Amino acid sequence: MKTNVVIIGGGPSGLLLSQLLNKAGIGTVVLERRSRDYVLSRIRAGVLESGTVDLLRRAGCDARMDREGHPHEGCYLSTERGMFRVDFRDLCDNEVMVYGQTEVTEDLYAAQDAIGATIVHEAMEVMPHDLDGSPYVTYEKDGETHRIACDFVAGCDGYHGVSRTVIPADRKHEIERVYPFGWLGILSRTKPAADELIYANHPRGFALASMRNENLSRYYIQVPMEDDPDKWSDDAFWAELKRRLPDEVADTMETGASIDKSIAPLRSYVCTTMRHGALFLAGDAAHIVPPTGAKGLNLAMSDIHYLSEGLLAWYGSGEASGLETYSDRALLRVWRAIRFSWWMTSILHRYPQQDEFDQRMQEMELENLRDLDAARRAMALNYVGLPL
Ligand code: FAS
Ligand code: PHB
């Protein structure tokens, strides 16, 4: 086979890239290791920046999002001194869209089906070759080895993918921070505890009250990184979550059976080489953020904005600058999101080695946000998404 761009990974970044390129007449083949059902069974992000919403509109994947998504013009922060609101509309005249990553992925798959895009599921042993010469990608399926010649390879295969591993160690520089805790998350068919998200700093640890729709709630509590989700009964989870949320919320919230329960580790990671010859990394394949700032999915989308722009210019007019500057342009925004996600994590979580001074500084960061419009505006601008 031959195509213009082979995309490794059929998650949100790979599918969005395939959609944007195919709409411009550029040929792609998406190679996804898992089945479609498995990909669609993942429960991950829940908040879309306004830039991501615009990208999905451009891709023609906005109809269901507009019908079923929920625009949010603010969120709450909660401390022992009580809850206060960060008003995105008032502070930066913007909003976010609460719409699950699962739904985004489903909409992208539907759009890809509608244009007859080529997506190979259960493609095993995917491997890019000859990235500095005549690129091609091989994979195994139904007992046969397949080979696709291409101009470029997009590594959209997530943190545990193959793409980043083919960049020689002397050509990549990796920076990482692993946090000393995880997030135990549950999904339940219950009415959300509040009309907007609540990020809570509590002496027992962080908690987040989020949602997918008016009958589907998403909650998280900070737990030790070695904790086991099976050790947590639903009742134990609800009791701990209520201890950490403001009384006026905990006393009235609806609880119920969990339909998903898992622990996500928290890390900040950047591979500062997002290009190697004909290979371009995008999304979690290149960077990871703690979910505190709701940036993971949105960063993957902004990478695809820059990469698709570069590829469209190349195929449209032979203009190479977008591809040549892709890594630097994407990383500028990545580092801003890495900082914001680290900052949100640092002011909202209890760190095992935290001493009294650290504790006071954390409290003052939150009081700064409670009392100063300027501090809340800086948070709002980052939370809704810096300009692309
Ligand atoms: P993805 O990991 O989504 O997709 C990569 C795809 O590549 C997968 O389908 C995988 O099967 C495939 N693949 C991997 N290796 C392959 C190979 N060798 N060959 C072929 N295919 C291969 N972000 C938020 O903003 N908020 C959240 O609350 C949040 N929660 C998260 C919870 C969890 C448990 C995880 C893991 C992530 C969470 N994230 C969250 C971040 C998440 O949303 C990612 O940022 C987002 O999925 C990134 O999308 P992709 O870059 O497409 O990577
Ligand atoms: C979610 O709803 O899953 C969610 C929302 C905001 C975050 C993280 C996760 O910061």
Side-chain angles (χ1 to χ4, degrees):
M1 276 174 82
K2 174 156 179 45
T3 190
N4 295 126
V5 181
V6 171
I7 299 170
I8 305 177
S13 61
L15 294 170
L16 177 62
L17 180 62
S18 176
Q19 185 65 13
L20 291 171
L21 296 183
N22 276 278
K23 278 174 71 74
I26 298 167
T28 67
V29 174
V30 177
L31 299 176
E32 165 55 50
R33 177 164 62 180
R34 300 286 192 172
S35 69
R36 180 181 289 210
D37 286 348
Y38 185 94
V39 173
L40 289 172
S41 70
R42 291 182 183 130
I43 295 162
R44 290 185 174 171
V47 172
L48 307 182
E49 294 176 356
S50 53
T52 297
V53 170
D54 295 343
L55 269 173
L56 291 170
R57 289 198 199 293
R58 235 166 67 200
C61 303
D62 52 332
R64 190 161 77 103
M65 175 177 65
D66 286 336
R67 279 199 314 273
E68 300 178 15
H70 298 266
H72 278 209
E73 297 194 339
C75 72
Y76 294 96
L77 296 179
S78 163
T79 76
E80 286 186 280
R81 280 194 58 202
M83 196 159 78
F84 62 94
R85 186 164 182 264
V86 181
D87 186 331
F88 307 146
R89 182 61 63 203
D90 174 49
L91 292 161
C92 60
D93 192 22
N94 208 333
E95 63 187 29
V96 293
M97 176 74 82
V98 170
Y99 188 63
Q101 173 173 329
T102 312
E103 315 318 318
V104 170
T105 309
E106 196 167 312
D107 296 345
L108 283 165
Y109 267 124
Q112 287 273 277
D113 292 345
I115 61 172
T118 306
I119 304 176
V120 179
H121 283 97
E122 294 169 316
M124 307 310 289
E125 304 304 318
V126 175
M127 183 56 69
H129 304 271
D130 200 9
L131 294 167
D132 288 325
S134 305
Y136 66 96
V137 178
T138 54
Y139 68 95
E140 308 286 331
K141 183 156 172 90
D142 304 330
E144 282 186 52
T145 298
H146 302 261
R147 173 185 170 126
I148 310 175
C150 55
D151 304 321
F152 300 105
V153 181
C156 301
D157 46 353
Y159 183 68
H160 301 289
V162 65
S163 300
R164 196 175 64 247
T165 68
V166 303
I167 301 178
D170 64 349
R171 299 277 295 270
K172 66 188 165 192
H173 179 51
E174 301 175 279
I175 300 172
E176 182 172 55
R177 163 69 53 89
V178 177
Y179 296 89
F181 37 72
W183 278 18
L184 169 62
I186 74 159
L187 195 64
S188 65
R189 288 196 178 83
T190 52
K191 183 176 174 302
D195 56 347
E196 293 174 330
L197 274 64
I198 304 173
Y199 290 85
N201 172 301
H202 188 277
R204 295 176 66 89
F206 168 78
L208 170 60
S210 183
M211 75 281 291
R212 292 292 176 271
N213 59 49
E214 53 280 1
N215 301 304
L216 198 57
S217 302
R218 181 78 165 144
Y219 295 105
Y220 300 92
I221 57 173
Q222 170 189 344
V223 292
M225 59 199 297
E226 63 283 347
D227 220 346
D228 173 0
D230 297 335
K231 189 195 82 175
W232 283 85
S233 68
D234 286 357
D235 289 346
F237 179 89
W238 291 119
E240 188 58 39
L241 176 71
K242 287 184 170 186
R243 288 188 194 99
R244 301 184 187 184
L245 291 177
D247 291 345
E248 66 267 32
V249 172
D251 293 347
T252 58
M253 67 184 285
E254 183 189 351
T255 62
S258 61
I259 53 179
D260 179 81
K261 192 184 290 174
S262 59
I263 291 182
L266 269 63
R267 78 175 74 242
S268 298
Y269 167 86
V270 185
C271 175
T272 62
T273 318
M274 291 178 65
R275 178 186 187 178
H276 173 60
L279 171 69
F280 293 86
L281 300 183
D284 279 16
H287 41 72
I288 295 285
V289 287
T292 329
K295 291 294 160 229
L297 173 62
N298 293 295
L299 263 186
M301 301 285 105
S302 54
D303 288 349
I304 296 306
H305 166 71
Y306 298 127
L307 182 53
S308 61
E309 270 195 342
L311 288 166
L312 265 61
W314 168 264
Y315 283 103
S317 63
E319 170 57 55
S321 63
L323 293 177
E324 284 159 3
T325 59
Y326 165 70
S327 189
D328 291 343
R329 276 181 89 197
L331 281 168
L332 263 183
R333 200 166 192 283
V334 166
W335 277 113
R336 300 292 292 271
I338 291 267
R339 182 215 64 88
F340 178 68
S341 304
W342 163 82
W343 175 75
M344 284 283 279
T345 303
S346 67
I347 67 171
L348 290 167
H349 291 73
R350 294 295 151 122
Y351 289 67
Q353 278 73 32
Q354 194 161 328
D355 64 17
E356 189 177 358
F357 181 80
D358 296 327
Q359 184 52 40
R360 287 272 177 259
M361 290 306 102
Q362 195 182 73
E363 285 164 10
M364 287 310 108
E365 279 285 349
L366 289 159
E367 291 316 299
N368 228 25
L369 285 164
R370 185 193 302 275
D371 299 341
L372 299 181
D373 286 358
R376 282 197 307 282
R377 183 163 189 277
M379 176 188 156
L381 285 165
N382 280 280
Y383 191 88
V384 301
L386 297 173
L388 281 171

